[in-house]
Amino acid sequence: MDAVTVEHPTTLWMVNDIPKRMVYAGRGWRVTDTPTRLRRSVWTAPLEPHTGLYGWRFQGTNDDGLSLVFDVYKGEDGWHVHRSYD
């Protein structure tokens, strides 16, 4: 599995607070598995109080049938894809 680590802004649509679809790198992606919540670990948590939910990991599939696994995180300026895996 190859991983790409680059911060890219993304638009993420949620249903009942769970990711369902997104636009990333100019392409639409449908969430095609059960998303996993990503939480801060002791290695990544800032010194301020713990904020709980940190991001999501899920498989997304585009209209061409390409499926990737994405790690998305919410920052002050919106959602970002932090990593994608093929």
Side-chain angles (χ1 to χ4, degrees):
M1 178 184 296
D2 293 326
V4 175
T5 304
V6 180
E7 294 285 332
H8 288 290
T10 188
T11 302
L12 188 63
W13 285 270
M14 313 281 259
V15 173
N16 297 323
D17 295 324
I18 298 173
K20 290 297 177 189
R21 60 187 180 99
M22 73 174 179
V23 172
Y24 164 66
R27 303 190 80 172
W29 299 84
R30 292 178 330 284
V31 176
T32 53
D33 72 348
T34 302
T36 301
R37 286 182 172 95
L38 300 175
R39 297 185 185 276
R40 294 185 191 269
S41 73
V42 295
W43 305 110
T44 61
L47 297 176
E48 62 265 11
H50 184 66
T51 58
L53 179 64
Y54 188 52
W56 292 94
R57 176 174 289 156
F58 56 83
Q59 177 179 286
T61 303
N62 68 19
D63 290 338
D64 294 333
L66 174 65
S67 293
L68 299 174
V69 174
F70 295 96
D71 289 348
V72 297
Y73 296 89
K74 184 150 188 186
E76 290 180 14
D77 59 342
W79 289 97
H80 297 267
V81 171
H82 179 67
R83 284 197 178 114
S84 62
Y85 308 87
D86 62 4

Coordinates of all heavy atoms in Angstrom, one line a residue:
M1 N 0.8 -1.2 0.0 CA 0.0 0.0 0.0 C 0.9 1.2 0.0 O 1.8 1.4 0.8 CB -0.9 0.0 1.2 CG -1.8 1.2 1.3 SD -2.8 1.3 2.9 CE -3.8 -0.2 2.7
D2 N 0.7 2.1 -1.0 CA 1.5 3.3 -1.0 C 0.7 4.4 -0.4 O -0.6 4.5 -0.5 CB 1.7 3.7 -2.5 CG 2.7 2.7 -3.2 OD1 3.5 2.2 -2.5 OD2 2.5 2.5 -4.4
A3 N 1.4 5.3 0.4 CA 0.7 6.4 1.0 C 1.3 7.7 0.5 O 2.4 7.9 0.2 CB 0.9 6.4 2.5
V4 N 0.4 8.7 0.3 CA 0.8 10.0 -0.1 C 0.4 11.0 1.0 O -0.8 11.0 1.4 CB 0.1 10.4 -1.4 CG1 0.4 11.9 -1.8 CG2 0.4 9.5 -2.5
T5 N 1.4 11.7 1.5 CA 1.1 12.7 2.6 C 1.2 14.1 2.1 O 2.3 14.6 1.9 CB 2.1 12.5 3.8 OG1 2.0 11.2 4.2 CG2 1.7 13.4 4.9
V6 N 0.1 14.7 1.8 CA 0.0 16.0 1.3 C -1.3 16.6 1.9 O -2.4 15.9 1.8 CB 0.0 16.1 -0.2 CG1 -0.1 17.5 -0.7 CG2 1.2 15.4 -0.8
E7 N -1.3 17.8 2.4 CA -2.5 18.4 2.9 C -3.2 19.1 1.7 O -2.7 19.9 0.9 CB -2.2 19.5 3.9 CG -1.6 19.0 5.2 CD -2.6 18.4 6.0 OE1 -3.8 18.7 6.0 OE2 -2.2 17.5 6.8
H8 N -4.5 18.6 1.4 CA -5.3 19.2 0.3 C -6.7 19.5 0.9 O -7.3 18.7 1.6 CB -5.5 18.1 -0.8 CG -4.3 17.9 -1.6 ND1 -3.8 18.8 -2.5 CD2 -3.5 16.8 -1.7 CE1 -2.7 18.4 -3.1 NE2 -2.5 17.2 -2.6
P9 N -7.1 20.7 0.6 CA -8.5 21.1 1.1 C -9.5 20.2 0.4 O -9.3 19.8 -0.8 CB -8.7 22.5 0.7 CG -7.5 22.9 -0.1 CD -6.5 21.8 -0.1
T10 N -10.6 19.9 1.0 CA -11.6 19.1 0.5 C -13.0 19.5 1.0 O -13.1 20.2 2.0 CB -11.4 17.6 0.8 OG1 -12.3 16.8 0.1 CG2 -11.5 17.3 2.3
T11 N -14.0 19.2 0.2 CA -15.4 19.4 0.7 C -16.0 18.1 1.1 O -15.9 17.1 0.3 CB -16.2 20.1 -0.4 OG1 -15.6 21.3 -0.8 CG2 -17.6 20.4 0.0
L12 N -16.4 18.0 2.3 CA -16.9 16.7 2.8 C -18.4 16.9 3.2 O -18.7 17.8 3.9 CB -16.1 16.3 4.0 CG -16.3 15.0 4.6 CD1 -15.9 13.9 3.6 CD2 -15.5 14.8 5.9
W13 N -19.2 16.0 2.7 CA -20.7 16.0 3.0 C -20.9 14.9 4.0 O -20.4 13.8 3.9 CB -21.5 15.8 1.8 CG -21.6 17.0 1.0 CD1 -22.5 18.0 1.0 CD2 -20.8 17.3 -0.2 NE1 -22.3 18.9 0.0 CE2 -21.2 18.5 -0.7 CE3 -19.7 16.7 -0.7 CZ2 -20.6 19.1 -1.8 CZ3 -19.1 17.3 -1.8 CH2 -19.5 18.5 -2.3
M14 N -21.6 15.2 5.1 CA -21.9 14.2 6.1 C -23.4 14.0 6.2 O -24.2 14.8 5.9 CB -21.5 14.8 7.5 CG -20.2 15.5 7.5 SD -18.9 14.3 7.7 CE -18.5 14.4 9.4
V15 N -23.8 12.7 6.6 CA -25.2 12.4 6.9 C -25.1 11.8 8.3 O -24.4 10.9 8.6 CB -25.7 11.3 5.9 CG1 -27.1 10.8 6.3 CG2 -25.7 11.9 4.5
N16 N -25.9 12.4 9.2 CA -25.9 12.0 10.6 C -24.5 12.1 11.2 O -24.1 11.2 11.9 CB -26.5 10.7 10.8 CG -28.0 10.6 10.4 OD1 -28.7 11.6 10.7 ND2 -28.4 9.6 9.9
D17 N -23.7 13.1 10.8 CA -22.3 13.3 11.3 C -21.3 12.2 10.8 O -20.3 12.1 11.4 CB -22.3 13.5 12.8 CG -23.0 14.7 13.3 OD1 -23.0 15.7 12.6 OD2 -23.7 14.6 14.4
I18 N -21.7 11.5 9.8 CA -20.7 10.5 9.2 C -20.5 10.8 7.8 O -21.4 11.1 7.0 CB -21.4 9.1 9.3 CG1 -21.6 8.7 10.8 CG2 -20.5 8.0 8.7 CD1 -22.3 7.5 11.1
P19 N -19.2 10.8 7.3 CA -18.9 11.1 5.9 C -19.6 10.2 4.9 O -19.7 9.0 5.1 CB -17.4 10.9 5.8 CG -16.9 11.0 7.2 CD -18.0 10.4 8.1
K20 N -20.2 10.9 3.9 CA -20.9 10.1 2.8 C -20.3 10.4 1.4 O -20.3 9.5 0.6 CB -22.4 10.5 2.8 CG -23.1 10.0 4.0 CD -23.1 8.4 4.0 CE -23.8 7.9 5.2 NZ -23.6 6.5 5.4
R21 N -19.8 11.6 1.2 CA -19.2 11.9 -0.1 C -18.3 13.1 0.1 O -18.4 13.8 1.0 CB -20.2 12.1 -1.2 CG -21.2 13.2 -1.0 CD -22.3 13.1 -2.1 NE -23.2 14.2 -1.9 CZ -23.2 15.4 -2.6 NH1 -22.3 15.6 -3.5 NH2 -24.1 16.3 -2.3
M22 N -17.4 13.3 -0.9 CA -16.5 14.4 -0.9 C -16.1 14.8 -2.3 O -16.2 14.0 -3.2 CB -15.3 14.2 0.0 CG -14.3 13.2 -0.5 SD -12.9 13.2 0.6 CE -11.9 12.0 -0.3
V23 N -15.5 16.0 -2.4 CA -14.8 16.5 -3.6 C -13.4 16.7 -3.1 O -13.1 17.4 -2.2 CB -15.4 17.7 -4.1 CG1 -14.6 18.3 -5.3 CG2 -16.9 17.5 -4.6
Y24 N -12.5 16.0 -3.9 CA -11.1 16.1 -3.5 C -10.3 16.1 -4.9 O -10.6 15.3 -5.7 CB -10.7 14.9 -2.7 CG -9.2 14.6 -2.6 CD1 -8.4 15.6 -2.0 CD2 -8.6 13.5 -3.1 CE1 -7.0 15.3 -1.9 CE2 -7.3 13.3 -3.1 CZ -6.5 14.2 -2.4 OH -5.1 14.0 -2.3
A25 N -9.4 17.0 -5.0 CA -8.6 17.1 -6.2 C -9.4 17.2 -7.5 O -9.1 16.6 -8.5 CB -7.6 15.9 -6.3
G26 N -10.6 17.9 -7.4 CA -11.4 18.2 -8.5 C -12.3 17.0 -8.9 O -13.0 17.0 -9.9
R27 N -12.4 16.0 -8.1 CA -13.1 14.8 -8.4 C -14.1 14.4 -7.3 O -13.8 14.7 -6.1 CB -12.2 13.6 -8.6 CG -11.2 13.8 -9.7 CD -10.5 12.6 -10.1 NE -11.4 11.9 -11.0 CZ -11.0 10.8 -11.6 NH1 -9.8 10.3 -11.5 NH2 -11.9 10.2 -12.4
G28 N -15.2 13.9 -7.6 CA -16.2 13.4 -6.6 C -15.9 12.0 -6.2 O -15.5 11.2 -6.9
W29 N -16.0 11.8 -4.9 CA -15.8 10.5 -4.3 C -17.0 10.1 -3.4 O -17.4 10.9 -2.6 CB -14.5 10.5 -3.4 CG -13.3 10.9 -4.2 CD1 -12.9 12.1 -4.5 CD2 -12.3 10.0 -4.7 NE1 -11.7 12.1 -5.2 CE2 -11.4 10.8 -5.4 CE3 -12.2 8.6 -4.8 CZ2 -10.3 10.2 -6.1 CZ3 -11.2 8.0 -5.4 CH2 -10.2 8.8 -6.1
R30 N -17.4 8.9 -3.5 CA -18.5 8.3 -2.6 C -17.8 7.5 -1.6 O -16.9 6.7 -1.9 CB -19.4 7.4 -3.4 CG -20.3 8.1 -4.4 CD -21.2 7.1 -5.2 NE -20.7 5.7 -5.5 CZ -19.7 5.4 -6.3 NH1 -19.1 6.3 -7.1 NH2 -19.4 4.1 -6.5
V31 N -18.2 7.6 -0.3 CA -17.7 6.8 0.8 C -18.3 5.4 0.6 O -19.5 5.2 0.5 CB -18.1 7.4 2.1 CG1 -17.6 6.4 3.2 CG2 -17.5 8.8 2.3
T32 N -17.4 4.4 0.4 CA -17.8 3.0 0.0 C -17.4 2.0 1.1 O -17.3 0.8 0.8 CB -17.3 2.6 -1.3 OG1 -15.9 2.8 -1.4 CG2 -17.9 3.5 -2.4
D33 N -17.3 2.4 2.3 CA -17.1 1.5 3.4 C -17.6 2.2 4.7 O -18.2 3.3 4.6 CB -15.6 1.1 3.6 CG -14.7 2.1 4.1 OD1 -15.1 3.3 4.2 OD2 -13.6 1.8 4.5
T34 N -17.4 1.6 5.8 CA -17.8 2.2 7.1 C -16.7 3.1 7.6 O -15.6 2.6 7.9 CB -18.1 1.1 8.2 OG1 -19.2 0.3 7.6 CG2 -18.6 1.8 9.5
P35 N -16.8 4.4 7.7 CA -15.8 5.3 8.1 C -15.3 5.0 9.6 O -16.2 4.6 10.4 CB -16.4 6.7 8.0 CG -17.5 6.5 7.0 CD -18.0 5.2 7.2
T36 N -14.1 5.2 9.8 CA -13.5 5.0 11.1 C -13.1 6.3 11.7 O -12.4 7.1 11.0 CB -12.2 4.1 11.1 OG1 -12.6 2.8 10.5 CG2 -11.6 3.9 12.4
R37 N -13.5 6.6 12.9 CA -13.1 7.9 13.6 C -11.6 7.8 13.9 O -11.1 6.8 14.4 CB -13.9 8.1 14.9 CG -15.3 8.5 14.6 CD -16.0 8.7 16.0 NE -17.3 9.3 15.8 CZ -18.5 8.6 15.7 NH1 -18.4 7.3 15.8 NH2 -19.6 9.2 15.5
L38 N -10.9 8.9 13.6 CA -9.5 9.0 14.0 C -9.5 10.0 15.2 O -10.0 11.1 15.0 CB -8.7 9.5 12.8 CG -8.7 8.6 11.6 CD1 -7.9 9.3 10.5 CD2 -8.1 7.3 12.0
R39 N -8.8 9.7 16.2 CA -8.7 10.6 17.4 C -7.3 10.9 17.6 O -6.4 10.1 17.2 CB -9.3 9.9 18.6 CG -10.8 9.6 18.5 CD -11.4 9.1 19.7 NE -12.8 8.7 19.5 CZ -13.8 9.5 19.6 NH1 -13.6 10.8 19.9 NH2 -15.1 9.1 19.5
R40 N -7.0 11.9 18.3 CA -5.7 12.3 18.7 C -5.0 11.3 19.6 O -5.7 10.7 20.4 CB -5.6 13.7 19.4 CG -6.1 14.8 18.6 CD -5.9 16.1 19.4 NE -6.6 17.2 18.7 CZ -6.0 18.0 17.8 NH1 -4.8 17.8 17.5 NH2 -6.7 19.0 17.3
S41 N -3.8 11.1 19.4 CA -3.0 10.2 20.2 C -2.1 11.0 21.1 O -2.0 12.2 21.0 CB -2.1 9.2 19.4 OG -1.0 9.9 18.9
V42 N -1.5 10.4 22.1 CA -0.6 11.1 23.0 C 0.6 11.8 22.2 O 1.2 12.7 22.6 CB 0.0 10.3 24.1 CG1 -1.1 9.8 25.0 CG2 0.8 9.1 23.6
W43 N 0.8 11.2 21.0 CA 1.9 11.7 20.1 C 1.5 12.9 19.3 O 2.4 13.7 18.9 CB 2.5 10.6 19.2 CG 2.8 9.4 20.0 CD1 2.2 8.2 20.0 CD2 3.9 9.3 20.9 NE1 2.8 7.3 20.9 CE2 3.9 8.0 21.4 CE3 4.9 10.1 21.4 CZ2 4.8 7.5 22.4 CZ3 5.8 9.7 22.3 CH2 5.8 8.4 22.8
T44 N 0.2 13.1 19.0 CA -0.2 14.2 18.2 C -1.0 15.2 18.9 O -1.3 16.2 18.3 CB -1.0 13.6 17.0 OG1 -2.2 13.0 17.5 CG2 -0.2 12.7 16.1
A45 N -1.4 14.9 20.1 CA -2.3 15.9 20.8 C -1.6 17.1 21.2 O -0.4 17.1 21.7 CB -2.9 15.2 22.1
P46 N -2.2 18.3 21.0 CA -1.6 19.5 21.5 C -1.7 19.7 23.0 O -2.4 18.8 23.7 CB -2.4 20.6 20.8 CG -3.8 20.0 20.6 CD -3.5 18.5 20.4
L47 N -1.1 20.7 23.6 CA -1.1 20.9 25.0 C -2.5 21.3 25.5 O -2.8 21.1 26.7 CB 0.0 21.9 25.4 CG 1.4 21.4 25.1 CD1 2.4 22.5 25.5 CD2 1.7 20.1 25.9
E48 N -3.3 22.0 24.6 CA -4.6 22.4 25.1 C -5.5 21.2 25.3 O -5.2 20.1 24.9 CB -5.2 23.4 24.1 CG -5.5 22.9 22.7 CD -4.3 23.2 21.8 OE1 -3.3 23.6 22.2 OE2 -4.5 22.9 20.6
P49 N -6.7 21.4 25.9 CA -7.6 20.3 26.3 C -7.9 19.4 25.0 O -8.0 19.9 23.9 CB -8.8 20.9 26.8 CG -8.3 22.3 27.3 CD -7.2 22.7 26.4
H50 N -8.1 18.1 25.3 CA -8.4 17.2 24.3 C -9.8 17.5 23.6 O -10.7 17.9 24.3 CB -8.5 15.8 24.9 CG -8.8 14.7 23.9 ND1 -7.9 14.3 22.9 CD2 -9.8 13.9 23.7 CE1 -8.4 13.3 22.2 NE2 -9.6 13.1 22.7
T51 N -9.8 17.5 22.3 CA -11.1 17.9 21.6 C -11.9 16.7 21.1 O -12.9 16.9 20.4 CB -10.7 18.8 20.4 OG1 -9.8 18.1 19.5 CG2 -10.0 20.1 20.9
G52 N -11.5 15.5 21.3 CA -12.3 14.3 20.9 C -12.0 14.0 19.4 O -10.9 13.8 19.0
L53 N -13.1 14.0 18.6 CA -13.0 13.6 17.2 C -11.9 14.5 16.5 O -11.9 15.7 16.6 CB -14.3 13.8 16.5 CG -14.3 13.4 15.0 CD1 -14.0 12.0 14.8 CD2 -15.7 13.7 14.4
Y54 N -11.0 13.8 15.8 CA -9.9 14.5 15.1 C -10.1 14.4 13.6 O -9.7 15.2 12.9 CB -8.6 13.9 15.6 CG -7.4 14.6 15.2 CD1 -7.2 15.9 15.3 CD2 -6.4 13.9 14.6 CE1 -6.1 16.6 14.9 CE2 -5.2 14.5 14.2 CZ -5.0 15.8 14.3 OH -3.9 16.4 13.9
G55 N -10.7 13.3 13.1 CA -10.8 13.1 11.7 C -11.4 11.7 11.4 O -12.0 11.1 12.3
W56 N -11.4 11.4 10.1 CA -12.0 10.1 9.7 C -11.0 9.4 8.7 O -10.3 10.0 8.0 CB -13.3 10.4 8.9 CG -14.4 11.0 9.7 CD1 -14.7 12.3 9.9 CD2 -15.3 10.2 10.4 NE1 -15.8 12.4 10.7 CE2 -16.2 11.1 11.0 CE3 -15.6 8.9 10.6 CZ2 -17.3 10.7 11.8 CZ3 -16.6 8.5 11.4 CH2 -17.5 9.4 12.0
R57 N -11.2 8.1 8.7 CA -10.5 7.3 7.6 C -11.6 6.5 6.9 O -12.5 5.9 7.6 CB -9.5 6.3 8.2 CG -8.9 5.4 7.2 CD -7.8 4.5 7.7 NE -6.7 5.4 8.0 CZ -5.7 5.1 8.9 NH1 -5.8 4.0 9.6 NH2 -4.7 5.9 9.1
F58 N -11.6 6.5 5.6 CA -12.6 5.8 4.9 C -12.2 5.5 3.5 O -11.2 6.2 3.0 CB -14.0 6.6 4.8 CG -13.9 8.0 4.3 CD1 -13.9 8.2 2.9 CD2 -13.8 9.1 5.1 CE1 -13.8 9.5 2.4 CE2 -13.7 10.3 4.6 CZ -13.7 10.6 3.3
Q59 N -12.8 4.6 2.8 CA -12.5 4.3 1.4 C -13.5 5.1 0.6 O -14.7 5.2 0.9 CB -12.8 2.8 1.1 CG -12.6 2.5 -0.4 CD -12.8 1.0 -0.6 OE1 -12.0 0.2 -0.3 NE2 -14.0 0.7 -1.2
G60 N -12.9 5.8 -0.4 CA -13.8 6.5 -1.4 C -13.6 6.0 -2.8 O -12.5 5.5 -3.1
T61 N -14.7 6.0 -3.5 CA -14.6 5.5 -4.9 C -15.1 6.6 -5.8 O -16.2 7.2 -5.6 CB -15.5 4.2 -5.1 OG1 -15.0 3.2 -4.1 CG2 -15.4 3.6 -6.5
N62 N -14.4 6.9 -6.9 CA -14.8 7.9 -7.8 C -15.6 7.3 -9.0 O -15.9 6.1 -9.0 CB -13.6 8.7 -8.3 CG -12.7 7.9 -9.2 OD1 -13.0 6.9 -9.8 ND2 -11.5 8.4 -9.4
D63 N -16.1 8.1 -9.9 CA -17.0 7.7 -11.0 C -16.3 6.7 -11.9 O -17.0 6.0 -12.6 CB -17.5 8.9 -11.7 CG -18.5 9.7 -10.9 OD1 -19.1 9.1 -10.0 OD2 -18.7 10.9 -11.2
D64 N -14.9 6.7 -12.0 CA -14.2 5.8 -12.8 C -14.0 4.4 -12.2 O -13.4 3.6 -12.8 CB -12.9 6.4 -13.2 CG -13.0 7.6 -14.1 OD1 -14.0 7.8 -14.8 OD2 -12.1 8.5 -14.0
G65 N -14.4 4.3 -10.9 CA -14.2 3.0 -10.2 C -13.0 2.9 -9.4 O -12.7 1.9 -8.8
L66 N -12.1 4.0 -9.4 CA -10.9 4.0 -8.6 C -11.3 4.2 -7.2 O -12.0 5.1 -6.8 CB -10.0 5.2 -9.0 CG -8.7 5.4 -8.2 CD1 -7.8 4.2 -8.4 CD2 -8.1 6.7 -8.6
S67 N -10.7 3.3 -6.3 CA -10.9 3.4 -4.9 C -9.6 3.7 -4.1 O -8.6 3.0 -4.4 CB -11.5 2.0 -4.3 OG -12.8 1.8 -4.9
L68 N -9.7 4.6 -3.2 CA -8.6 5.0 -2.4 C -9.1 5.0 -0.9 O -10.2 5.2 -0.7 CB -8.0 6.3 -2.8 CG -7.4 6.5 -4.2 CD1 -7.0 7.9 -4.4 CD2 -6.2 5.6 -4.4
V69 N -8.1 4.9 0.0 CA -8.4 5.1 1.4 C -7.9 6.5 1.7 O -6.8 6.9 1.4 CB -7.8 4.0 2.3 CG1 -8.0 4.4 3.8 CG2 -8.3 2.7 2.0
F70 N -8.7 7.3 2.4 CA -8.4 8.7 2.8 C -8.4 8.9 4.3 O -9.2 8.3 5.0 CB -9.5 9.6 2.2 CG -9.5 9.6 0.7 CD1 -10.4 8.9 0.0 CD2 -8.7 10.5 0.0 CE1 -10.5 8.9 -1.4 CE2 -8.7 10.5 -1.4 CZ -9.6 9.7 -2.1
D71 N -7.5 9.7 4.8 CA -7.5 10.2 6.1 C -7.8 11.7 6.0 O -7.1 12.4 5.3 CB -6.1 10.1 6.8 CG -5.7 8.6 7.1 OD1 -6.6 7.8 7.1 OD2 -4.6 8.4 7.5
V72 N -8.9 12.1 6.6 CA -9.4 13.5 6.5 C -9.4 14.1 7.9 O -9.8 13.4 8.8 CB -10.7 13.7 5.7 CG1 -10.6 13.2 4.3 CG2 -11.8 12.9 6.4
Y73 N -9.0 15.3 8.0 CA -9.0 16.0 9.3 C -9.7 17.4 9.1 O -9.5 18.0 8.1 CB -7.6 16.2 9.8 CG -6.9 14.9 10.0 CD1 -6.2 14.2 9.0 CD2 -7.0 14.3 11.3 CE1 -5.6 13.0 9.3 CE2 -6.4 13.1 11.5 CZ -5.7 12.5 10.5 OH -5.1 11.3 10.8
K74 N -10.3 17.8 10.2 CA -10.9 19.1 10.2 C -10.0 20.1 10.8 O -9.6 19.9 12.0 CB -12.3 19.1 10.9 CG -13.0 20.4 10.8 CD -14.5 20.3 10.8 CE -15.1 21.6 10.5 NZ -16.5 21.6 10.6
G75 N -9.7 21.2 10.1 CA -8.9 22.3 10.7 C -9.8 23.5 10.8 O -11.0 23.5 10.6
E76 N -9.1 24.6 11.2 CA -9.9 25.8 11.4 C -10.5 26.3 10.1 O -11.5 27.0 10.1 CB -8.9 26.9 12.0 CG -8.5 26.6 13.4 CD -7.6 27.7 14.0 OE1 -7.5 28.7 13.4 OE2 -7.0 27.4 15.0
D77 N -9.9 26.0 9.0 CA -10.4 26.5 7.7 C -11.1 25.4 6.9 O -11.3 25.5 5.7 CB -9.2 27.1 6.9 CG -8.1 26.0 6.6 OD1 -8.1 25.0 7.3 OD2 -7.3 26.3 5.7
G78 N -11.6 24.3 7.6 CA -12.3 23.3 6.9 C -11.6 21.9 6.9 O -10.6 21.7 7.5
W79 N -12.2 21.0 6.1 CA -11.7 19.7 6.0 C -10.5 19.6 5.0 O -10.4 20.3 4.1 CB -12.8 18.7 5.5 CG -13.8 18.5 6.5 CD1 -15.0 19.1 6.6 CD2 -13.8 17.6 7.6 NE1 -15.7 18.6 7.6 CE2 -15.0 17.7 8.2 CE3 -12.9 16.6 8.0 CZ2 -15.3 16.9 9.4 CZ3 -13.2 15.9 9.1 CH2 -14.4 16.0 9.8
H80 N -9.5 18.7 5.3 CA -8.3 18.5 4.5 C -8.1 17.0 4.4 O -8.3 16.2 5.4 CB -7.1 19.1 5.2 CG -7.2 20.6 5.3 ND1 -6.7 21.4 4.4 CD2 -7.7 21.3 6.3 CE1 -6.9 22.7 4.8 NE2 -7.6 22.6 5.9
V81 N -7.7 16.5 3.2 CA -7.2 15.2 3.1 C -5.7 15.2 3.5 O -4.9 16.0 2.9 CB -7.3 14.7 1.6 CG1 -6.6 13.4 1.4 CG2 -8.8 14.5 1.3
H82 N -5.4 14.5 4.5 CA -4.0 14.4 5.0 C -3.2 13.3 4.3 O -2.1 13.5 3.9 CB -4.0 14.2 6.5 CG -2.6 14.1 7.1 ND1 -1.8 15.2 7.1 CD2 -2.0 13.1 7.7 CE1 -0.6 14.9 7.7 NE2 -0.7 13.6 8.0
R83 N -3.8 12.2 4.1 CA -3.2 11.1 3.4 C -4.2 10.4 2.6 O -5.4 10.3 2.9 CB -2.7 10.0 4.4 CG -1.4 10.5 5.1 CD -0.7 9.2 5.7 NE 0.5 9.7 6.4 CZ 0.7 9.7 7.6 NH1 -0.2 9.2 8.5 NH2 1.8 10.1 8.1
S84 N -3.7 9.8 1.5 CA -4.5 8.9 0.7 C -3.7 7.6 0.4 O -2.5 7.7 0.2 CB -5.0 9.5 -0.6 OG -4.0 9.9 -1.4
Y85 N -4.3 6.5 0.4 CA -3.6 5.2 0.2 C -4.3 4.5 -1.0 O -5.5 4.5 -1.1 CB -3.8 4.3 1.4 CG -3.4 4.9 2.7 CD1 -4.3 5.7 3.4 CD2 -2.1 4.8 3.2 CE1 -4.0 6.2 4.6 CE2 -1.8 5.3 4.5 CZ -2.7 6.1 5.1 OH -2.4 6.6 6.4
D86 N -3.5 3.9 -1.9 CA -4.1 3.1 -2.9 C -4.0 1.6 -2.6 O -3.6 1.2 -1.6 CB -3.4 3.3 -4.3 CG -1.9 3.0 -4.3 OD1 -1.4 2.4 -3.3 OD2 -1.3 3.2 -5.3

